[in-house]
Amino acid sequence: MTATAPAAQTAVRKDAPGAARGPRRRPGRIRRIGLPYLLLLPALILELLVHLVPMVIGIVMSFKELTQFHIRDWGTAPWAGLDNYRVSVDFDAPVGAALLHSFLVTVAFTVLSVGLCWLVGTAAAIYLQDTFRGRGLLRALFLVPYALPVYAAVITWVFMFQHDNGLVNHVLHDQLGLTEKPSFWLIGDNSFLALLTVSVWKGWPFAFLIVMAGLQNIPRELYEAAALDGAGMLQQVRRITLPSLRAVNQVLVLVLFLWTFNDFNTPYVLFGRTAPEAADLISVHIYQASFVTWNFGTGSAMSVLLLLFLLAVTGVYLALTSRRKSRKSRKSRKSRKKVKHG
């Protein structure tokens, strides 16, 4: 009995420090978990200052009658309430009619640009999926438009679209003879085609890069099995490639839509301050309403309306895609249950 008592006491003593160390480890774990968030805190604060503060200021400005007379101290501008929004959505008045026209032009431009960017990028990615000599060089060349600075690329297109000595008219009119006379590409109705061409040329490499990354996750055995079953190239793309890339394409289309609908650099560098009526995108239109006519209150109201529209479209798009995913998961669960019961 006397021998077992000290052993029990030593066991208790050994366990006691371990029991005391248990609570002391929790602050260390909390520090480890909180350290990444602490390191991200400065970047998060800067992002809020860069994006959130101007957004709040713009929303406040949309409720004020802010013109060039109050630009020095915009806090003294009189309160306008919802008058700026009423003027913007009054489509019978000149301001509202011009905004509606710009909105429709932007919708048409965005649909065509996103569709063509996705189509060209997907086709190029599928073509470069197989290994052949020179594939690495083609991949590098395809990414050149995406790697170039926007201003340098668009200014190059401005020179190419010149009426007298531009490369586009030289090829289409002088060499190929497709037009009766040199066309004006930066004014008139052709300005929409010029803007669409530059946007697609600049945007499709991004779609190519994303789709090419998504293709790496598709097993090659699926294509080999489909080829053995007699499926052609188009059937493989339709039955294997596109369904496998559905999640990637959902994100890609949303990102391209937001980028294209808000694009300001391309039309501004291509046409200048005053874009032609056929290429009057809503981003340039808001800039003109704010900085050309010096009516910052109306321009801020247009910006807020654009923000609400993009948020609504994004919410509806995400809701529809999430419903499709839930339906597919339900169908897969039901099929699994049927297999188990069978």
Side-chain angles (χ1 to χ4, degrees):
M1 296 296 293
T2 56
T4 56
Q9 291 179 359
T10 55
V12 172
R13 290 177 182 176
K14 290 181 180 179
D15 294 336
R21 290 177 184 176
R24 292 180 182 177
R25 291 180 182 177
R26 292 180 182 177
R29 294 177 182 177
I30 295 174
R31 290 175 184 175
R32 290 181 211 164
I33 297 173
L35 181 60
Y37 298 98
L38 183 62
L39 295 176
L40 289 175
L41 187 60
L44 181 61
I45 293 175
L46 289 176
E47 282 290 326
L48 291 176
L49 291 176
V50 171
H51 295 286
L52 186 61
V53 173
M55 186 184 301
V56 173
I57 293 175
I59 294 173
V60 175
M61 289 171 60
S62 66
F63 294 101
K64 286 180 171 291
E65 191 178 346
L66 184 58
T67 59
Q68 67 269 27
F69 302 105
H70 304 280
I71 193 61
R72 185 173 182 179
D73 188 7
W74 65 274
T76 61
W79 190 260
L82 297 176
D83 292 341
N84 294 324
Y85 293 93
R86 294 191 186 98
V87 172
S88 301
V89 299
D90 187 6
F91 302 134
D92 296 329
V95 177
L99 181 62
L100 179 61
H101 174 267
S102 177
F103 174 77
L104 296 177
V105 170
T106 307
V107 170
F109 165 75
T110 303
V111 171
L112 292 175
S113 179
V114 172
L116 291 175
C117 286
W118 177 84
L119 181 62
V120 176
T122 303
I126 293 174
Y127 175 72
L128 295 181
Q129 188 178 10
D130 296 330
T131 57
F132 58 89
R133 182 177 296 179
R135 186 179 67 166
L137 179 61
L138 284 179
R139 284 181 175 179
L141 291 177
F142 286 171
L143 293 177
V144 167
Y146 183 69
L148 285 176
V150 177
Y151 289 93
V154 177
I155 289 174
T156 304
W157 277 100
V158 170
F159 287 108
M160 294 173 62
F161 281 128
Q162 291 298 318
H163 177 264
D164 297 327
N165 53 4
L167 180 62
V168 176
N169 281 333
H170 177 69
V171 173
L172 295 179
H173 177 69
D174 299 337
Q175 294 185 350
L176 300 178
L178 298 178
T179 58
E180 297 180 357
K181 57 182 180 180
S183 304
F184 290 95
W185 293 101
L186 300 180
I187 59 175
D189 295 336
N190 291 332
S191 59
F192 184 84
L193 296 176
L195 179 61
L196 182 63
T197 302
V198 177
S199 178
V200 173
W201 178 85
K202 184 172 60 69
W204 78 266
F206 176 75
F208 162 73
L209 186 63
I210 299 302
V211 174
M212 186 174 61
L215 289 174
Q216 307 303 318
N217 297 323
I218 302 177
R220 298 297 302 172
E221 292 79 6
L222 296 178
Y223 293 100
E224 295 174 358
L228 292 176
D229 292 338
M233 180 66 181
L234 295 179
Q235 292 180 345
Q236 293 179 15
V237 172
R238 181 182 177 185
R239 301 294 184 182
I240 299 176
T241 305
L242 294 181
S244 301
L245 293 176
R246 186 167 297 168
V248 176
N249 287 328
Q250 288 174 356
V251 179
L252 175 61
V253 170
L254 180 61
V255 172
L256 287 176
F257 169 78
L258 295 175
W259 283 359
T260 307
F261 209 95
N262 283 321
D263 190 12
F264 174 79
N265 296 327
T266 302
Y268 183 80
V269 178
L270 196 62
F271 304 115
R273 286 188 173 184
T274 57
E277 186 178 358
D280 185 21
L281 298 186
I282 195 168
S283 58
V284 181
H285 187 84
I286 293 174
Y287 169 81
Q288 293 174 355
S290 301
F291 295 96
V292 177
T293 62
W294 296 94
N295 197 339
F296 294 96
T298 305
S300 299
M302 294 179 182
S303 300
V304 174
L305 292 174
L306 175 61
L307 175 63
L308 294 177
F309 170 76
L310 294 177
L311 289 176
V313 172
T314 304
V316 172
Y317 181 82
L318 294 177
L320 292 176
T321 53
S322 62
R323 286 182 181 179
R324 290 178 182 176
K325 290 181 181 179
S326 62
R327 289 177 182 176
K328 289 181 181 179
S329 61
R330 291 175 184 175
K331 290 181 180 179
S332 62
R333 290 175 184 174
K334 289 181 181 179
S335 61
R336 291 175 183 175
K337 289 181 180 179
K338 289 181 180 180
V339 172
K340 289 181 180 180
H341 290 296

